[in-house]
Amino acid sequence: VGFSLLALGVVALQIVLDKGQEDDWLASHFINSLIAIAVVCLGGLIVWEWRQKQPIVDVRLFKSVNFSGACLTMFLAGAVMFSSTVLMPEFLQMLMGYTAENAGVIVSVGAALVLVTMPIVGLLTSKAPAKYMIAFGWLLSAGGLYISTKLLSLNISFGGAAVIMLLQFAPVAFIFIPAITASYIGVPLDKSNSVAGLTNFMRNIGMSFGAAGVQTILARRQQFHLSRLADHLSPGDPGLA
């Protein structure tokens, strides 16, 4: 029962996030039906698993403040960081004329930075409280995204785009590593697999929410600006020819 509720709920939620913008969200009966399925199944999953002695998903872990805070952090970090990562290759390919390979090289520059910073942050977490590391990571993320908006333009060079990705990937280790570490505090050792599974699940769901959110915002703003442009054109305008 628990596995069925989990599978149906997550599949329905994922389809909503993937197809929501395409089907105009709540204007679609299909999307509304899937939202209802996701709410009922995931809500039923919590109730069912809470009463089981050996649950597939140990929802009782959320009684721990450290674990709940870590899961929320992973969700938000996945949403914020993945959404910006999704937009950059799209910008480079659609507006700058980059190939998928070149756009991927730029994204991989940021990923390489994560490989370098993760061991360093891993050592720092043993010397500084996780909450301070996470707070620093969020400040770094806010600063990096702000600077990115100032650097981003249609005149940006290959190196400039790589710098933006470095700014956006720099906070990843400072948020994820301490959050994962904090999620295990106060949790019995035999629950380690459940902790790892739930934190990764929250991160992945956050990434799906982030991607769906930015795609919706992008589509809505495109519609807005096209409408504004159309207001300044007339049937006899030479620009329509």
Side-chain angles (χ1 to χ4, degrees):
V1 173
F3 180 81
S4 299
L5 290 171
L6 176 64
L8 288 173
V10 172
V11 167
L13 178 61
Q14 195 63 53
I15 294 175
V16 167
L17 296 174
D18 289 343
K19 306 289 288 185
Q21 170 56 33
E22 183 179 329
D23 292 348
D24 200 18
W25 294 104
L26 298 180
S28 167
H29 294 298
F30 175 65
I31 295 298
N32 287 331
S33 299
L34 287 174
I35 291 175
I37 292 172
V39 170
V40 171
C41 289
L42 294 178
L45 173 70
I46 294 173
V47 175
W48 176 267
E49 295 296 291
W50 194 280
R51 301 168 60 185
Q52 304 305 309
K53 292 182 179 180
Q54 294 182 334
I56 291 177
V57 180
D58 194 350
V59 294
R60 287 187 290 268
L61 288 172
F62 286 98
K63 292 191 296 182
S64 168
V65 175
N66 286 327
F67 178 76
S68 297
C71 284
L72 178 61
T73 299
M74 295 292 280
F75 177 87
L76 294 175
V80 171
M81 295 177 183
F82 186 71
S83 60
S84 60
T85 306
V86 166
L87 286 177
M88 192 61 177
E90 190 170 346
F91 169 80
L92 293 174
Q93 293 180 69
M94 294 182 64
L95 298 180
M96 301 293 292
Y98 280 49
T99 63
E101 181 180 0
N102 289 335
V105 169
I106 289 177
V107 174
S108 67
V109 171
L113 178 63
V114 175
L115 292 176
V116 174
T117 55
M118 285 183 72
I120 298 173
V121 175
L123 293 174
L124 291 176
T125 51
S126 62
K127 303 183 185 217
K131 59 184 179 181
Y132 295 138
M133 300 285 290
I134 294 172
F136 174 75
W138 281 119
L139 288 174
L140 199 61
S141 177
L145 290 173
Y146 177 76
I147 296 172
S148 296
T149 62
K150 299 300 182 182
L151 297 177
L152 195 64
S153 73
L154 292 175
N155 296 319
I156 194 170
S157 65
F158 186 94
V163 169
I164 289 178
M165 294 311 302
L166 288 173
L167 290 171
Q168 293 182 2
F169 274 85
V172 170
F174 288 95
I175 296 177
F176 283 158
I177 300 299
I180 292 172
T181 302
S183 67
Y184 288 93
I185 297 176
V187 176
L189 290 177
D190 61 336
K191 301 292 185 181
S192 296
N193 290 336
S194 296
V195 170
L198 282 171
T199 51
N200 285 324
F201 172 76
M202 295 300 293
R203 181 196 63 200
N204 292 334
I205 288 295
M207 291 166 64
S208 296
F209 270 91
V214 296
Q215 292 298 334
T216 298
I217 293 171
L218 182 62
R220 299 293 169 88
R221 295 306 295 174
Q222 285 177 338
Q223 293 170 0
F224 171 78
H225 288 295
L226 286 173
S227 176
R228 292 295 299 271
L229 286 171
D231 290 341
H232 293 81
L233 295 176
S234 60
D237 197 309
L240 296 176

